[in-house]
């Protein structure tokens, strides 16, 4: 049962063939069985999930129509989304034991859609990282090879779906945190257009870049989940007040395998030095596949993409230095050193020292530096200008092609511990994914096969609000390529 | 441009209310230096380009407002539920040294 | 303990220095809800009961701008003759302080919504001074801290503090003047008059309660001195906690004398925050800052820009009420008042009351005289505002009418008014209860006149001898005998008749 797609499970639950409680229990059992090898979950909410499942079953028994196309299909939620009364840690020690008094909009939409939430998944602390090694609660392991990273920051969500602990998951993507874990675990990961999914209740890392999106094993499953979580939210000022692109329809249309009339641009900047040969080979094969499906393929140069990584590593830390200021031990979170002698200022410093890990501290300091008077123009200001250049490159490219493609990440999953002492090497994992965040465009990763026995991802990018375009191309490619997860070793 | 000293790291840590140990200063200083060195190339590219306005946000929305209508918030109990310490319906914090701004 | 700073004699200050002022006034808007969330914007209340994830700065919560907060800001900008920015943003002002839930204040920085305006301010003698407005920008208020332990209950010496975030996120408009120069000895008065005028303006606009005692209007005064003839400003200090109109004037005056004493002795002024001491009208230095402020401002990424359209701004311009100075001008013209009379009318806060009394049928001159003089005195002795006196304009108009028809003398009228103020009812009831009718029956009066004449034959002789002014003594005796209820004019006529 746990190997079925979300679409299949939904159909069978709604038809009364299987119960949501059974499906949910099967996944809870799977978590019990394999998660000590993976550490994908930080918190499992069996009671909450089963209660939600029972409600769906009751509706089915009463002959009521399902509240959503995914009603009854369980899901794993990245621990960066607030859940009322359910622990939310963001992978940080500072929030250990915190029970939010409110639900994120995404959480609320999932509940309203009858989606049982199995639990909260592991992540790099406050979503800062590309390997999930920066979690205060230990790294998550890649189910393809447990000595390797599952990507990050949303490694928990991707590992959970790759290992059949959950058919669906929610991730968040600031610089690639949905797509890169998707690529290295052989799953589908989508970063919707910025503003497409509400950020209310998503604990902010970098406000102008963060975007929640679906993680799934198939393109159609991702589209079904995308439709549930997307849409305008008056609680988020940056939420787009426009109809959600019809991604489910696009995924279904794409599944017929015909890309005639679709123009695909290959980004020339994303190859060469630093790219693993197997990744490049897999990408080449994927491009050929798209051509075979009828797409017209051209090469497109986006020269300013070379500056995306440095711009990102100024903008994201700057925003995070401010966003994370609220974790000061005054209203919530870990407090240390409050012995009656020390001042509030001392307790803030001591608590933040104890509550944050090294990567978070590094980024807070980088951001503090970049925003300081005297440095602002050269750093933050220039990075914002680079953002303009990147947006212009995208706009020019999308005048010529419908979608852009590249490898999702330059290499397959690396070994745990391999890059922890070299921040710059770690940052390279997001080389190809960052431009779409800076421009606020849509982008996704679909499995494009294996290199040296490990999954590789194909990144498909589309203009803002044209998320449906990439779903169509991804579904067509998926139908031709076939499932990659069939080859995952048993845990 | 950058050449971050231990003192500068200590200053940044202070601005950001981050306690850092001596060991951390030793590891952070060179790391921050490398990172800032490599990201500094953003100023190179824009230096050569004419007329590049900054983009602070990908979304080009303006005038997103809410009506001035009261919405149910949290109860005092909910508000204080995560507090490390509370007293008389208020958040209890250690004595404050600095002045209000 | 803090040593009392030396100060220089005020006149001496002005012999050597020119003061330069800069005033920053924070006004809390009276919107229904806070600036960025739907929590009720009310003063006080049980602690932490008007809070939500957004104004508590909980992880994940986001701000959304209050439309009416922005509208009020634009209306204030227009009333201050400012330009309204066609495009502006909020920024984050980053600094750590426990009363600020996010450890940044959402504020405007280099892109204020309104800038470059002025406010015409009337001084006590009726002279009007134009104060330049640098900018008016939007921001949010902080929570409130209660300091526990220690001797004074103040922040210093406290053992711990308790925080209430009901006020956190309440919309504020910060109005900043351009440097106010060339005011000489009138600088303290200008400062008070400016804040007074600003307060009246906010009341007329209906955008704020502007209760300085409750902190819904707060003033910070930047003061510096430059040697006479110099063109460069001196180092300034910023005095905070100046929370009454009178204190504004006192604080400016004190800082001028303190700074002058320092400069005269060859010292230099430290750029610092100072606190106003209500008790003795002095200012004292705040804690020196360890590190210079670096607020690391950057555009608030959780909010989108504000781009008020021309149509919107014009529409808001159309909602502006008659502004205080326009009204002043109109009333002066309509009632034909001198500058001095106009000044007294507004300084006593009588304008509205007089207008209502006139509406109730009284002539302007009488209405004005009652409110600006007698009733203002009554309010002053009771230490309340004129409008708080327990008498209505209609009651005052009735008293004036009774005088006109001869039913009351001025003296009796004041007694009637006292009765009304004492809660004895309407003027007619007071008259009936106290029996205050004028004695107009000549036969009753004549008896009293004859009695008085008989008692003072020497005076009668004088009158008969042509000293008509001596009649006053007899009139006085009659008035006394009738307990003031006689019409003095008629009594005088009768006295003179008898002595012919
Ligand atoms: Mg301010
Ligand atoms: Zn609130």
């Amino acid at each position: 049962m746990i190997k079925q797609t979300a679409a299949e499970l939904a159909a069978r639950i709604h038809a009364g063939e299987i119960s949501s409680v059974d499906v949910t229990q099967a996944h809870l059992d799977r978590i019990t069985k394999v998660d000590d090898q993976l550490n994908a979950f930080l918190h499992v909410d069996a009671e909450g999930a089963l209660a939600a499942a029972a409600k769906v079953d009751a509706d089915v028994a009463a002959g009521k129509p399902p509240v959503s196309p995914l009603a009854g299909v369980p899901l794993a939620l990245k621990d960066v989304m607030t859940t009322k009364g359910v622990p939310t840690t963001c992978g940080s020690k500072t929030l250990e034991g915190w029970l939010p008094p409110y639900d994120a909009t995404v959480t609320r939409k999932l509940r309203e859609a009858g989606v049982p939430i199995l639990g909260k998944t592991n992540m790099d602390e406050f979503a800062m990282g590309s390997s999930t090694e920066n979690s205060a609660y230990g790294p998550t392991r890649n189910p393809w090879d447990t000595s390797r990273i599952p990507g990050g920051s949303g490694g928990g969500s991707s590992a959970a779906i790759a290992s059949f602990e959950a058919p669906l998951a929610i991730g968040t993507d600031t610089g690639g945190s949905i797509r890169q874990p998707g690529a290295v675990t052989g799953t589908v990961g989508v970063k919707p257009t910025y503003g497409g999914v509400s950020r209310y209740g998503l604990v902010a890392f970098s406000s102008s870049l963060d975007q929640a999106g679906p993680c799934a094993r198939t393109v159609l499953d991702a589209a079904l989940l995308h439709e549930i979580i997307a849409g305008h939210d008056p609680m988020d000022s940056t939420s787009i007040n426009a109809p959600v692109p019809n991604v489910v329809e696009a995924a279904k249309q794409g599944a017929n395998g015909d890309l005639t009339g679709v123009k695909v641009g290959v980004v020339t900047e994303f190859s060469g030095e630093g790219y693993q040969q197997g990744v490049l080979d897999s990408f080449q094969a994927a491009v050929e596949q798209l051509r075979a499906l009828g797409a017209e393929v051209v090469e497109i140069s986006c020269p300013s993409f070379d500056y995306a990584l440095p711009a990102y590593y100024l903008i994201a830390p700057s925003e995070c230095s401010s966003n994370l200021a609220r974790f000061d031990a005054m209203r919530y979170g870990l407090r240390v050193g409050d012995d009656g002698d020390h001042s509030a200022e001392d307790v803030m410093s001591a608590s933040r020292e104890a509550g944050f890990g090294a990567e978070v501290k590094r980024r807070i300091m980088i951001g503090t530096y970049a925003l300081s008077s005297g440095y602002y123009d050269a750093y933050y200001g220039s990075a914002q200008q680079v953002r303009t250049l990147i947006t212009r490159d995208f706009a020019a490219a999308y005048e010529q092609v419908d979608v852009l493609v590249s490898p999702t990440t330059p290499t397959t999953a690396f070994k745990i511990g391999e890059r922890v002492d070299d921040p710059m090497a770690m940052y390279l994992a997001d080389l190809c994914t960052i431009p779409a965040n800076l421009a606020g465009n849509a982008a996704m990763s679909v499995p494009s096969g294996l290199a040296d026995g490990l999954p590789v991802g194909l990144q498909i990018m589309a203009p803002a609000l044209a998320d449906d375009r990439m779903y169509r191309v991804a579904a067509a490619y998926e139908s031709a390529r076939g499932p990659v997860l069939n080859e995952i070793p048993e845990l | 441009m950058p050449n971050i000293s231990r003192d500068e790291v200590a200053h940044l840590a202070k601005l950001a209310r981050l306690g850092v140990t001596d060991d951390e200063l030793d590891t952070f200083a060179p790391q921050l230096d490398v990172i800032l060195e490599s990201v500094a190339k953003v100023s190179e590219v824009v230096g050569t380009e004419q007329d590049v306005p900054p983009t602070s946000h990908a979304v080009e929305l303006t005038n997103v407002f809410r009506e001035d209508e009261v919405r149910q918030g949290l109860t005092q109990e909910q508000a204080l539920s995560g507090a490390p310490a509370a007293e008389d319906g208020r958040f209890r914090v250690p004595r404050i040294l600095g002045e209000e701004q | 303990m803090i040593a009392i700073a030396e100060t220089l004699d005020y006149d001496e200050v002005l012999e050597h220095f020119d003061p330069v002022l800069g005033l920053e006034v924070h006004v809390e808007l009276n919107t229904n809800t806070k600036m960025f969330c739907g929590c009720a914007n009310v003063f006080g209340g049980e602690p932490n009961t008007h809070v939500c994830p957004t104004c508590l700065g909980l992880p994940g919560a986001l701000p959304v701008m209050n439309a009416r907060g922005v509208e009020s800001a634009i209306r204030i900008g227009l009333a201050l003759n400012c330009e309204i920015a066609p495009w502006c943003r909020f920024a984050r002002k980053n600094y750590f302080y426990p009363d600020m839930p996010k450890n940044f204040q959402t504020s405007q920085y280099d892109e204020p919504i309104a800038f470059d305006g002025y406010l015409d301010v009337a001084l006590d003698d009726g002279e009007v001074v134009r104060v330049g407005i640098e900018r008016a920008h939007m921001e949010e208020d902080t929570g409130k801290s209660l300091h526990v332990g220690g001797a004074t209950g103040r922040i210093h010496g406290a053992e711990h503090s308790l925080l209430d975030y009901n006020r956190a996120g309440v919309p504020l408009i910060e109005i900043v003047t351009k440097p106010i120069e060339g005011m000489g000895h009138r600088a303290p008065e200008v400062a008070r008059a400016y804040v007074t005028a600003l307060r009246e303006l906010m009341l007329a606009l209906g955008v704020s309660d502007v209760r300085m005692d409750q902190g819904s209007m707060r003033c910070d005064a930047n003061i510096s001195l430059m040697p006479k003839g110099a063109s460069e400003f001196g180092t300034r200090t910023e005095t905070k906690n100046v929370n009454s109109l009178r204190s504004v004037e006192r604080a400016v005056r004190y800082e001028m004398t303190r700074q002058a004493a320092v400069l005269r002795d060859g010292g230099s002024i430290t750029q610092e925050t100072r606190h106003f001491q209500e008790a003795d009208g002095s200012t004292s230095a705040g804690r020196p800052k360890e590190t210079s402020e670096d607020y690391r401002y950057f555009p608030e990424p959780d909010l989108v820009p504000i781009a008020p359209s021309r149509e919107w701004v014009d529409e808001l311009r159309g909602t502006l009420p008659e502004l205080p100075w326009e009204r002043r001008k109109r009333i002066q013209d309509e009632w034909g008042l001198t500058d001095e009379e106009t000044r007294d009318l507004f300084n006593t806060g009588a304008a509205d009351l007089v207008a209502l009394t006139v509406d109730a049928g009284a002539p302007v001159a009488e209405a004005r005289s009652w409110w600006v003089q007698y009733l203002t005195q009554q309010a002053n002795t009771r230490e309340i505002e004129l409008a708080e006196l327990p008498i209505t304009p209609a009651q005052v108009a009735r008293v004036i009418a009774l005088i006109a028809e001869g039913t009351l003398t001025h003296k009796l009228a004041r007694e009637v008014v006292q009765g009304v103020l004492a809660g004895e009812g309407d003027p007619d009831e007071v008259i009936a209860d106290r029996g205050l009718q004028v004695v107009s029956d000549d036969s009753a009066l004549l008896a009293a006149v004859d009695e008085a004449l008989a008692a003072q034959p020497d005076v009668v002789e004088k009158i008969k001898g042509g000293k008509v002014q001596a009649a006053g003594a007899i009139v006085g005796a009659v008035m006394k005998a009738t307990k003031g209820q006689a019409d003095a004019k008629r009594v005088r006529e009768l006295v003179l008749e008898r002595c012919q």
Side-chain angles (χ1 to χ4, degrees), chain C residues 355-378:
Chain C
L356 290 169
T357 309
V358 170
D359 287 349
V364 171
E366 277 79 359
R368 216 163 42 77
S369 151
W370 274 98
W371 284 108
V372 173
Q373 288 159 32
Y374 185 70
L375 290 169
T376 293
Q377 282 165 23
Q378 298 304 308

Coordinates of all heavy atoms in Angstrom, one line a residue, chain C residues 355-378:
Chain C
A355 N -19.2 79.9 20.1 CA -20.0 79.6 18.8 C -21.3 79.0 19.2 O -22.4 79.4 18.6 CB -19.2 78.8 17.9
L356 N -21.3 78.0 20.1 CA -22.5 77.4 20.5 C -23.5 78.3 21.2 O -24.7 78.3 21.1 CB -22.2 76.1 21.3 CG -21.6 75.0 20.6 CD1 -21.0 73.9 21.5 CD2 -22.6 74.4 19.6
T357 N -22.9 79.2 22.0 CA -23.7 80.2 22.8 C -24.3 81.1 21.8 O -25.5 81.5 22.0 CB -22.8 80.9 23.8 OG1 -22.1 79.9 24.6 CG2 -23.6 81.7 24.8
V358 N -23.6 81.5 20.8 CA -24.1 82.4 19.8 C -25.3 81.7 19.0 O -26.3 82.2 18.8 CB -23.0 82.9 18.8 CG1 -23.6 83.6 17.6 CG2 -22.0 83.8 19.5
D359 N -25.0 80.4 18.7 CA -26.1 79.6 18.1 C -27.3 79.6 18.9 O -28.4 79.5 18.4 CB -25.6 78.2 17.8 CG -24.6 78.1 16.7 OD1 -24.4 79.1 16.0 OD2 -23.9 77.0 16.6
A360 N -27.2 79.7 20.2 CA -28.3 79.6 21.1 C -29.0 81.0 21.3 O -29.8 81.2 22.2 CB -27.9 79.0 22.5
G361 N -28.5 82.0 20.5 CA -29.2 83.2 20.5 C -28.5 84.4 21.1 O -29.0 85.5 21.2
A362 N -27.3 84.2 21.7 CA -26.7 85.3 22.4 C -25.9 86.1 21.4 O -25.4 85.6 20.4 CB -25.7 84.7 23.5
P363 N -25.7 87.4 21.7 CA -24.8 88.2 20.9 C -23.4 87.8 21.1 O -23.0 87.4 22.2 CB -25.0 89.7 21.4 CG -26.2 89.6 22.3 CD -26.3 88.2 22.8
V364 N -22.5 87.9 20.0 CA -21.2 87.5 20.1 C -20.4 88.1 21.2 O -19.7 87.5 22.0 CB -20.4 87.8 18.7 CG1 -18.9 87.5 18.9 CG2 -21.0 87.0 17.6
A365 N -20.5 89.4 21.4 CA -19.7 90.2 22.4 C -20.0 89.6 23.8 O -19.1 89.4 24.5 CB -20.0 91.6 22.3
E366 N -21.3 89.5 24.1 CA -21.6 89.0 25.4 C -21.2 87.5 25.6 O -20.6 87.2 26.7 CB -23.1 89.1 25.7 CG -23.6 90.4 26.2 CD -23.8 91.4 25.0 OE1 -23.5 91.0 23.8 OE2 -24.1 92.6 25.2
A367 N -21.4 86.7 24.6 CA -21.0 85.3 24.7 C -19.5 85.2 25.0 O -19.0 84.4 25.8 CB -21.4 84.6 23.5
R368 N -18.8 86.0 24.2 CA -17.3 85.9 24.3 C -16.9 86.4 25.7 O -16.0 85.8 26.3 CB -16.7 86.9 23.2 CG -15.5 86.4 22.6 CD -15.2 87.2 21.3 NE -15.5 88.6 21.4 CZ -14.7 89.5 22.0 NH1 -13.6 89.1 22.6 NH2 -15.0 90.8 22.0
S369 N -17.5 87.5 26.1 CA -17.1 88.1 27.4 C -17.3 87.0 28.5 O -16.5 86.8 29.4 CB -17.9 89.4 27.6 OG -18.1 89.6 29.0
W370 N -18.5 86.4 28.5 CA -18.7 85.4 29.6 C -17.7 84.3 29.6 O -17.2 83.9 30.6 CB -20.2 84.8 29.4 CG -21.2 85.7 30.1 CD1 -22.0 86.6 29.6 CD2 -21.5 85.7 31.5 NE1 -22.8 87.2 30.5 CE2 -22.5 86.7 31.7 CE3 -21.0 84.9 32.6 CZ2 -23.0 86.9 33.0 CZ3 -21.6 85.2 33.9 CH2 -22.5 86.2 34.1
W371 N -17.5 83.7 28.4 CA -16.6 82.5 28.4 C -15.2 82.9 28.6 O -14.5 82.2 29.3 CB -16.8 81.8 27.0 CG -18.1 81.0 27.0 CD1 -19.2 81.3 26.2 CD2 -18.4 79.8 27.6 NE1 -20.1 80.3 26.4 CE2 -19.7 79.4 27.2 CE3 -17.7 78.9 28.5 CZ2 -20.3 78.2 27.7 CZ3 -18.3 77.8 29.0 CH2 -19.6 77.4 28.6
V372 N -14.7 83.9 27.9 CA -13.3 84.2 27.9 C -12.9 84.8 29.3 O -11.8 84.6 29.8 CB -12.9 85.2 26.8 CG1 -11.4 85.6 26.9 CG2 -13.1 84.5 25.4
Q373 N -13.8 85.5 29.9 CA -13.4 86.1 31.2 C -14.0 85.4 32.4 O -13.3 84.5 33.0 CB -13.8 87.6 31.2 CG -13.0 88.4 30.3 CD -13.6 89.7 29.9 OE1 -14.4 90.3 30.6 NE2 -13.3 90.1 28.6
Y374 N -15.2 85.6 32.7 CA -15.7 85.1 34.0 C -15.6 83.5 34.1 O -15.1 83.0 35.0 CB -17.2 85.5 34.2 CG -17.7 85.1 35.5 CD1 -17.3 85.7 36.7 CD2 -18.7 84.1 35.6 CE1 -17.7 85.3 38.0 CE2 -19.2 83.6 36.9 CZ -18.7 84.3 38.0 OH -19.1 83.9 39.3
L375 N -16.1 82.9 33.0 CA -16.1 81.4 33.1 C -14.7 80.8 33.0 O -14.4 79.8 33.6 CB -17.0 80.8 32.0 CG -18.5 81.1 32.2 CD1 -19.3 80.8 31.0 CD2 -19.0 80.3 33.4
T376 N -13.8 81.5 32.3 CA -12.4 81.0 32.3 C -11.8 81.1 33.7 O -11.1 80.2 34.1 CB -11.6 81.8 31.3 OG1 -12.0 81.5 29.9 CG2 -10.1 81.5 31.3
Q377 N -12.1 82.2 34.4 CA -11.6 82.3 35.8 C -12.2 81.2 36.6 O -11.5 80.6 37.4 CB -12.1 83.6 36.4 CG -11.4 84.9 36.0 CD -12.2 86.1 36.4 OE1 -13.0 86.1 37.3 NE2 -11.9 87.2 35.7
Q378 N -13.5 80.9 36.4 CA -14.1 79.8 37.2 C -13.4 78.5 36.9 O -13.1 77.7 37.8 CB -15.6 79.7 36.8 CG -16.4 80.9 37.2 CD -16.2 81.3 38.6 OE1 -16.4 80.5 39.5 NE2 -15.9 82.5 38.9

